Amino acid sequence: MTALPATSREWHLVARPHGWPVPADFALREVPVEAPAEGRILVRNLHFSVDPYMRGRMNDVKSYIPPFKLDHPMDGGAVGVVVASNAAGFAEGDHVLHGLGWREYAGVPAEHATKVDPELAPLSTYLGVLGMTGLTAYAGLFETASFKAGDAVFVSGAAGAVGSQVGQLAKLNGASRVIGSAGSDEKVKWLVEELGFDAAFNYKSGRSVRDQLREAAPDGIDVYFDNVGGEHLEAAISSLNVHGRAAICGMIAQYNDTEPVPGPRNMAMIIGKRLRLQGVLVGDHYGLQQQFVEEVGGRLRAGELKYRETFATGIENGVDAFLGMLRGDNTGKMIVSLDR
């Protein structure tokens, strides 16, 4: 067995954020590393994920996933290499995907780890385009929004990990038109020139989302994939055609609000247009995992599906990466890399 390190660093939540999180809400702490007990493996993390849903877990409220505990390590998706194993089926040197990110070394129950092959795809992609965010895009578009060829699709937060994949999958599967919103002119250019969106606009340009969406989709939209909420959702309801569908995946515009936010002012349109608005949780769709990996993996290998990753290097930059993701600093998936 390789000699194990004496200590590991991990990020703890030490205060519940009020509004926007600040660095003082977190602490990077050193803890001892122990050899794995029976049925467990010790993993040296190479990359871990920071995602919008983690902001909700910082609040002490009941939800679909338990909140982070104060003065305990946070968790989330991670990929790493096994450095010690006390579990059948896992050996030193195996690469695994697991749920104990935000730390350098993780003691993982073997049943909660999945082997991944770095020869098939870069390890970081198992956190993004081939991972949870990718499955969210796939399930949300095809299952929740019931996408079909010929639909016109609007995606908010389209330059993020989920949104960029939704738009491309829609286009590759016969969408009549794909429109995206993003937070900078550079991201808009990327969506149109590299990812094949038919149109995109900068929602921070000073013009209303409603007006920009109407210009981009003069004949309306059939599917809306919502990563933002707020003004975007109201604009989408106005532009959705009769029997339109909206997959509500995220509302990042509201995650740090300290007061209740009014809902869209045009909700009555849901009745006349017979719209369907439905929430998306990736945990409901793990049955699609094999189908998703086969289809999306094939499109990746064929060069049909493109992706970007934004990396922060070093565990000490984990919180900065998370806060940057909430601000929209990333293009594609935001990942903290500990590879060395």
Side-chain angles (χ1 to χ4, degrees), residues 285-323:
H285 301 282
Y286 286 137
L288 293 173
Q289 179 72 26
Q290 184 174 351
Q291 174 184 326
F292 156 71
V293 170
E294 289 176 358
E295 181 176 334
V296 172
R299 292 195 179 278
L300 279 173
R301 288 190 294 273
E304 297 173 342
L305 189 70
K306 300 175 182 177
Y307 68 94
R308 275 194 192 174
E309 297 166 319
T310 300
F311 287 96
T313 302
I315 192 168
E316 62 276 5
N317 292 312
V319 166
D320 287 344
F322 172 72
L323 297 177

Short mmCIF file of all heavy atoms in Angstrom, two decimals, residues 285-323:
data_model
loop_
_atom_site.label_atom_id
_atom_site.label_comp_id
_atom_site.label_asym_id
_atom_site.label_seq_id
_atom_site.Cartn_x
_atom_site.Cartn_y
_atom_site.Cartn_z
N HIS A 285 -34.12 10.76 -12.45
CA HIS A 285 -33.90 10.26 -13.81
C HIS A 285 -32.65 9.40 -13.95
O HIS A 285 -32.13 9.24 -15.05
CB HIS A 285 -33.80 11.45 -14.78
CG HIS A 285 -35.04 12.31 -14.79
ND1 HIS A 285 -36.18 11.95 -15.46
CD2 HIS A 285 -35.30 13.50 -14.20
CE1 HIS A 285 -37.10 12.89 -15.30
NE2 HIS A 285 -36.59 13.84 -14.53
N TYR A 286 -32.17 8.82 -12.85
CA TYR A 286 -30.96 8.01 -12.96
C TYR A 286 -31.18 6.75 -13.81
O TYR A 286 -30.22 6.14 -14.28
CB TYR A 286 -30.43 7.64 -11.57
CG TYR A 286 -29.77 8.80 -10.86
CD1 TYR A 286 -30.00 9.05 -9.51
CD2 TYR A 286 -28.91 9.66 -11.55
CE1 TYR A 286 -29.40 10.13 -8.86
CE2 TYR A 286 -28.31 10.73 -10.91
CZ TYR A 286 -28.56 10.96 -9.57
OH TYR A 286 -27.96 12.02 -8.94
N GLY A 287 -32.44 6.37 -14.03
CA GLY A 287 -32.73 5.25 -14.91
C GLY A 287 -32.33 5.51 -16.35
O GLY A 287 -32.20 4.57 -17.14
N LEU A 288 -32.12 6.78 -16.69
CA LEU A 288 -31.69 7.15 -18.04
C LEU A 288 -30.18 7.14 -18.20
O LEU A 288 -29.68 7.42 -19.29
CB LEU A 288 -32.21 8.55 -18.40
CG LEU A 288 -33.71 8.74 -18.56
CD1 LEU A 288 -34.04 10.22 -18.73
CD2 LEU A 288 -34.23 7.95 -19.75
N GLN A 289 -29.44 6.84 -17.12
CA GLN A 289 -27.99 7.03 -17.12
C GLN A 289 -27.31 6.30 -18.28
O GLN A 289 -26.50 6.89 -19.01
CB GLN A 289 -27.41 6.55 -15.78
CG GLN A 289 -25.90 6.68 -15.67
CD GLN A 289 -25.42 8.11 -15.52
OE1 GLN A 289 -26.16 8.97 -15.05
NE2 GLN A 289 -24.20 8.38 -15.93
N GLN A 290 -27.61 5.02 -18.47
CA GLN A 290 -26.92 4.26 -19.51
C GLN A 290 -27.25 4.80 -20.90
O GLN A 290 -26.36 4.99 -21.73
CB GLN A 290 -27.28 2.77 -19.42
CG GLN A 290 -26.53 1.91 -20.42
CD GLN A 290 -26.79 0.44 -20.22
OE1 GLN A 290 -27.39 0.02 -19.24
NE2 GLN A 290 -26.34 -0.38 -21.16
N GLN A 291 -28.52 5.06 -21.12
CA GLN A 291 -28.94 5.62 -22.41
C GLN A 291 -28.27 6.96 -22.66
O GLN A 291 -27.78 7.24 -23.77
CB GLN A 291 -30.46 5.79 -22.40
CG GLN A 291 -31.05 6.48 -23.62
CD GLN A 291 -32.56 6.68 -23.46
OE1 GLN A 291 -33.25 5.86 -22.87
NE2 GLN A 291 -33.07 7.79 -23.98
N PHE A 292 -28.21 7.78 -21.62
CA PHE A 292 -27.58 9.10 -21.72
C PHE A 292 -26.10 8.99 -22.07
O PHE A 292 -25.61 9.65 -22.99
CB PHE A 292 -27.77 9.85 -20.40
CG PHE A 292 -26.76 10.92 -20.12
CD1 PHE A 292 -26.74 12.10 -20.83
CD2 PHE A 292 -25.81 10.74 -19.12
CE1 PHE A 292 -25.80 13.09 -20.57
CE2 PHE A 292 -24.87 11.71 -18.84
CZ PHE A 292 -24.86 12.89 -19.58
N VAL A 293 -25.36 8.15 -21.34
CA VAL A 293 -23.92 8.03 -21.57
C VAL A 293 -23.65 7.50 -22.98
O VAL A 293 -22.74 7.97 -23.67
CB VAL A 293 -23.27 7.13 -20.50
CG1 VAL A 293 -21.82 6.81 -20.87
CG2 VAL A 293 -23.30 7.83 -19.14
N GLU A 294 -24.44 6.53 -23.42
CA GLU A 294 -24.23 5.98 -24.76
C GLU A 294 -24.47 7.03 -25.84
O GLU A 294 -23.68 7.18 -26.77
CB GLU A 294 -25.15 4.78 -24.97
CG GLU A 294 -24.75 3.55 -24.17
CD GLU A 294 -25.73 2.41 -24.31
OE1 GLU A 294 -26.76 2.59 -25.02
OE2 GLU A 294 -25.48 1.33 -23.72
N GLU A 295 -25.58 7.75 -25.72
CA GLU A 295 -25.92 8.73 -26.76
C GLU A 295 -24.99 9.93 -26.73
O GLU A 295 -24.42 10.32 -27.75
CB GLU A 295 -27.37 9.19 -26.60
CG GLU A 295 -27.79 10.20 -27.68
CD GLU A 295 -29.25 10.58 -27.59
OE1 GLU A 295 -30.06 9.78 -27.07
OE2 GLU A 295 -29.58 11.69 -28.03
N VAL A 296 -24.82 10.52 -25.56
CA VAL A 296 -23.99 11.72 -25.45
C VAL A 296 -22.52 11.38 -25.65
O VAL A 296 -21.79 12.12 -26.31
CB VAL A 296 -24.23 12.42 -24.10
CG1 VAL A 296 -23.25 13.56 -23.89
CG2 VAL A 296 -25.67 12.94 -24.04
N GLY A 297 -22.08 10.23 -25.12
CA GLY A 297 -20.70 9.82 -25.34
C GLY A 297 -20.40 9.64 -26.82
O GLY A 297 -19.34 10.03 -27.31
N GLY A 298 -21.35 9.07 -27.54
CA GLY A 298 -21.17 8.90 -28.98
C GLY A 298 -21.08 10.22 -29.71
O GLY A 298 -20.25 10.39 -30.62
N ARG A 299 -21.90 11.17 -29.32
CA ARG A 299 -21.86 12.49 -29.97
C ARG A 299 -20.57 13.23 -29.63
O ARG A 299 -20.04 13.98 -30.46
CB ARG A 299 -23.08 13.31 -29.57
CG ARG A 299 -24.40 12.75 -30.14
CD ARG A 299 -25.51 13.76 -30.04
NE ARG A 299 -26.78 13.29 -30.58
CZ ARG A 299 -27.11 13.31 -31.87
NH1 ARG A 299 -26.24 13.75 -32.77
NH2 ARG A 299 -28.30 12.88 -32.27
N LEU A 300 -20.07 13.03 -28.41
CA LEU A 300 -18.78 13.63 -28.05
C LEU A 300 -17.65 13.07 -28.91
O LEU A 300 -16.83 13.82 -29.45
CB LEU A 300 -18.48 13.40 -26.58
CG LEU A 300 -19.14 14.31 -25.55
CD1 LEU A 300 -18.86 13.81 -24.15
CD2 LEU A 300 -18.67 15.75 -25.71
N ARG A 301 -17.62 11.75 -29.02
CA ARG A 301 -16.56 11.10 -29.81
C ARG A 301 -16.63 11.50 -31.28
O ARG A 301 -15.61 11.61 -31.95
CB ARG A 301 -16.66 9.59 -29.65
CG ARG A 301 -16.22 9.07 -28.29
CD ARG A 301 -16.11 7.56 -28.26
NE ARG A 301 -17.41 6.92 -28.42
CZ ARG A 301 -18.25 6.65 -27.43
NH1 ARG A 301 -17.93 7.01 -26.19
NH2 ARG A 301 -19.40 6.05 -27.65
N ALA A 302 -17.85 11.74 -31.77
CA ALA A 302 -18.03 12.14 -33.17
C ALA A 302 -17.75 13.62 -33.39
O ALA A 302 -17.77 14.09 -34.54
CB ALA A 302 -19.44 11.80 -33.62
N GLY A 303 -17.51 14.35 -32.31
CA GLY A 303 -17.27 15.78 -32.44
C GLY A 303 -18.51 16.61 -32.67
O GLY A 303 -18.44 17.79 -33.03
N GLU A 304 -19.68 16.00 -32.45
CA GLU A 304 -20.94 16.71 -32.68
C GLU A 304 -21.35 17.58 -31.50
O GLU A 304 -22.09 18.56 -31.66
CB GLU A 304 -22.06 15.70 -32.97
CG GLU A 304 -21.85 14.87 -34.22
CD GLU A 304 -22.87 13.77 -34.36
OE1 GLU A 304 -23.54 13.41 -33.35
OE2 GLU A 304 -23.02 13.26 -35.48
N LEU A 305 -20.91 17.21 -30.32
CA LEU A 305 -21.29 17.92 -29.10
C LEU A 305 -20.04 18.56 -28.51
O LEU A 305 -19.03 17.89 -28.29
CB LEU A 305 -21.92 16.96 -28.09
CG LEU A 305 -22.57 17.57 -26.85
CD1 LEU A 305 -23.84 18.32 -27.24
CD2 LEU A 305 -22.91 16.48 -25.84
N LYS A 306 -20.11 19.85 -28.26
CA LYS A 306 -18.96 20.59 -27.75
C LYS A 306 -19.22 21.02 -26.32
O LYS A 306 -20.36 21.17 -25.88
CB LYS A 306 -18.68 21.81 -28.63
CG LYS A 306 -18.39 21.44 -30.09
CD LYS A 306 -18.23 22.66 -30.96
CE LYS A 306 -17.98 22.28 -32.42
NZ LYS A 306 -17.89 23.47 -33.30
N TYR A 307 -18.15 21.23 -25.58
CA TYR A 307 -18.29 21.67 -24.21
C TYR A 307 -17.08 22.50 -23.81
O TYR A 307 -16.02 22.42 -24.42
CB TYR A 307 -18.44 20.47 -23.26
CG TYR A 307 -17.20 19.62 -23.14
CD1 TYR A 307 -16.28 19.83 -22.11
CD2 TYR A 307 -16.92 18.60 -24.05
CE1 TYR A 307 -15.12 19.06 -21.99
CE2 TYR A 307 -15.78 17.81 -23.94
CZ TYR A 307 -14.90 18.05 -22.91
OH TYR A 307 -13.76 17.29 -22.79
N ARG A 308 -17.28 23.28 -22.77
CA ARG A 308 -16.18 24.02 -22.16
C ARG A 308 -16.20 23.77 -20.66
O ARG A 308 -17.25 23.50 -20.07
CB ARG A 308 -16.30 25.53 -22.42
CG ARG A 308 -15.72 26.00 -23.73
CD ARG A 308 -15.59 27.51 -23.73
NE ARG A 308 -15.29 28.03 -25.06
CZ ARG A 308 -15.23 29.32 -25.35
NH1 ARG A 308 -15.47 30.22 -24.39
NH2 ARG A 308 -14.96 29.73 -26.57
N GLU A 309 -15.02 23.90 -20.08
CA GLU A 309 -14.88 23.80 -18.63
C GLU A 309 -14.07 25.00 -18.16
O GLU A 309 -13.14 25.42 -18.83
CB GLU A 309 -14.17 22.50 -18.25
CG GLU A 309 -14.93 21.25 -18.64
CD GLU A 309 -14.08 19.99 -18.57
OE1 GLU A 309 -12.90 20.05 -18.96
OE2 GLU A 309 -14.60 18.96 -18.12
N THR A 310 -14.46 25.54 -17.02
CA THR A 310 -13.71 26.62 -16.38
C THR A 310 -13.10 26.04 -15.10
O THR A 310 -13.82 25.53 -14.24
CB THR A 310 -14.63 27.81 -16.05
OG1 THR A 310 -15.21 28.29 -17.26
CG2 THR A 310 -13.84 28.93 -15.39
N PHE A 311 -11.77 26.11 -15.00
CA PHE A 311 -11.07 25.48 -13.88
C PHE A 311 -10.54 26.51 -12.90
O PHE A 311 -10.00 27.55 -13.29
CB PHE A 311 -9.89 24.65 -14.38
CG PHE A 311 -10.27 23.37 -15.06
CD1 PHE A 311 -10.38 23.31 -16.45
CD2 PHE A 311 -10.53 22.22 -14.33
CE1 PHE A 311 -10.72 22.13 -17.09
CE2 PHE A 311 -10.86 21.03 -14.95
CZ PHE A 311 -10.97 20.99 -16.33
N ALA A 312 -10.70 26.20 -11.62
CA ALA A 312 -9.95 26.88 -10.56
C ALA A 312 -8.99 25.83 -10.02
O ALA A 312 -9.37 24.67 -9.83
CB ALA A 312 -10.88 27.36 -9.45
N THR A 313 -7.75 26.21 -9.79
CA THR A 313 -6.73 25.24 -9.39
C THR A 313 -6.38 25.39 -7.92
O THR A 313 -6.08 26.49 -7.45
CB THR A 313 -5.47 25.42 -10.25
OG1 THR A 313 -5.82 25.26 -11.63
CG2 THR A 313 -4.43 24.38 -9.90
N GLY A 314 -6.42 24.27 -7.20
CA GLY A 314 -6.05 24.26 -5.79
C GLY A 314 -7.26 24.31 -4.89
O GLY A 314 -8.19 25.09 -5.11
N ILE A 315 -7.25 23.49 -3.84
CA ILE A 315 -8.40 23.46 -2.94
C ILE A 315 -8.63 24.80 -2.26
O ILE A 315 -9.76 25.16 -1.94
CB ILE A 315 -8.24 22.34 -1.89
CG1 ILE A 315 -9.58 22.12 -1.16
CG2 ILE A 315 -7.09 22.62 -0.92
CD1 ILE A 315 -9.64 20.88 -0.32
N GLU A 316 -7.56 25.56 -2.07
CA GLU A 316 -7.71 26.86 -1.41
C GLU A 316 -8.59 27.82 -2.22
O GLU A 316 -9.09 28.81 -1.68
CB GLU A 316 -6.34 27.48 -1.14
CG GLU A 316 -5.53 27.79 -2.39
CD GLU A 316 -4.74 26.59 -2.91
OE1 GLU A 316 -4.88 25.47 -2.36
OE2 GLU A 316 -3.97 26.80 -3.87
N ASN A 317 -8.79 27.52 -3.50
CA ASN A 317 -9.62 28.38 -4.36
C ASN A 317 -11.04 27.82 -4.54
O ASN A 317 -11.78 28.31 -5.39
CB ASN A 317 -8.95 28.55 -5.72
CG ASN A 317 -7.68 29.37 -5.62
OD1 ASN A 317 -7.68 30.43 -5.00
ND2 ASN A 317 -6.60 28.88 -6.20
N GLY A 318 -11.41 26.83 -3.72
CA GLY A 318 -12.73 26.22 -3.87
C GLY A 318 -13.88 27.18 -3.66
O GLY A 318 -14.83 27.22 -4.45
N VAL A 319 -13.83 27.97 -2.60
CA VAL A 319 -14.92 28.91 -2.33
C VAL A 319 -14.96 30.01 -3.37
O VAL A 319 -16.04 30.41 -3.83
CB VAL A 319 -14.80 29.48 -0.90
CG1 VAL A 319 -15.70 30.69 -0.70
CG2 VAL A 319 -15.14 28.40 0.12
N ASP A 320 -13.81 30.52 -3.77
CA ASP A 320 -13.79 31.54 -4.82
C ASP A 320 -14.42 31.02 -6.11
O ASP A 320 -15.12 31.75 -6.81
CB ASP A 320 -12.35 31.98 -5.10
CG ASP A 320 -11.78 32.86 -3.99
OD1 ASP A 320 -12.58 33.37 -3.17
OD2 ASP A 320 -10.55 33.04 -3.95
N ALA A 321 -14.17 29.75 -6.42
CA ALA A 321 -14.76 29.15 -7.62
C ALA A 321 -16.28 29.07 -7.49
O ALA A 321 -17.01 29.36 -8.44
CB ALA A 321 -14.17 27.76 -7.85
N PHE A 322 -16.74 28.69 -6.30
CA PHE A 322 -18.18 28.60 -6.07
C PHE A 322 -18.84 29.97 -6.21
O PHE A 322 -19.87 30.13 -6.89
CB PHE A 322 -18.44 28.02 -4.68
CG PHE A 322 -19.89 28.05 -4.26
CD1 PHE A 322 -20.81 27.21 -4.84
CD2 PHE A 322 -20.31 28.94 -3.29
CE1 PHE A 322 -22.14 27.25 -4.47
CE2 PHE A 322 -21.64 28.98 -2.90
CZ PHE A 322 -22.56 28.13 -3.49
N LEU A 323 -18.27 30.98 -5.58
CA LEU A 323 -18.83 32.33 -5.66
C LEU A 323 -18.77 32.86 -7.09
O LEU A 323 -19.70 33.52 -7.56
CB LEU A 323 -18.08 33.26 -4.71
CG LEU A 323 -18.17 32.91 -3.22
CD1 LEU A 323 -17.33 33.87 -2.39
CD2 LEU A 323 -19.62 32.92 -2.74
#
